[in-house]
Amino acid sequence: MKIGEVAARSGLSVKTIRFYCDEGLIQPIERSDGGYRLFDETVFEELHLMRTLKAMEIPLQEIAQILEARRSGVCTCESIKGTISAKAGEIEQKIAALRNLHGELHSLLARWQDCGGVKSPDLDERRHV
């Protein structure tokens, strides 16, 4: 199938698919007589894997290595599991940091005391005067 059909079925733009081809992330099975890139059904598996890895913020260079190893038949399960595990750890650290920040903000609000000064008019009201 041509790149337009791959784009339509995958939900990606033709430009994105061309970029992935140029970067060596996906490969057409051949070129037509007119020079069009032609793909088979396996491109959708690779695009799905790429989307999953990109969602985990895996750099394109690492994605290319994973796809190349997958195509060559070399088992990359441990490598991919390690990458996913590391990403899960990063997310857990971010969640913990956000929970700490959330707690600090609520603590600050709970201890908040008005300064007792004169209340100023709303800034939006002053702009319209």
Side-chain angles (χ1 to χ4, degrees):
M1 72 194 96
K2 291 181 183 177
I3 199 168
E5 185 177 346
V6 173
R9 287 181 54 189
S10 69
L12 297 170
S13 69
V14 169
K15 183 177 180 179
T16 298
I17 294 173
R18 280 193 190 114
F19 172 77
Y20 289 160
C21 286
D22 294 343
E23 293 296 310
L25 295 166
I26 59 173
Q27 301 168 347
I29 54 170
E30 63 181 319
R31 291 245 184 196
S32 70
D33 291 337
Y36 293 104
R37 295 174 172 118
L38 300 175
F39 300 89
D40 62 8
E41 292 292 321
T42 61
V43 73
F44 297 109
E45 294 171 22
E46 291 186 346
L47 290 171
H48 177 72
L49 177 59
M50 287 174 56
R51 278 188 165 168
T52 301
L53 295 172
K54 280 185 65 180
M56 295 187 318
E57 299 177 358
I58 306 297
L60 286 180
Q61 184 178 3
E62 285 185 47
I63 293 173
Q65 291 170 351
I66 291 168
L67 290 170
E68 186 58 39
R70 186 174 181 262
R71 287 182 198 119
S72 70
V74 174
C75 180
T76 58
C77 293
E78 289 305 313
S79 173
I80 294 173
K81 281 174 55 179
T83 300
I84 292 169
S85 179
K87 185 54 70 175
E90 288 175 26
I91 291 170
E92 288 168 10
Q93 289 176 347
K94 288 179 184 178
I95 290 171
L98 288 170
R99 282 193 176 129
N100 285 337
L101 178 60
H102 184 261
E104 289 175 25
L105 292 172
H106 278 283
S107 176
L108 178 64
L109 286 172
R111 295 188 319 263
W112 192 268
Q113 295 179 7
D114 277 341
C115 64
V118 177
K119 302 289 185 208
S120 63
D122 191 301
L123 290 177
D124 285 336
E125 289 178 21
R126 282 194 279 167
R127 287 186 190 131
H128 296 292
V129 175

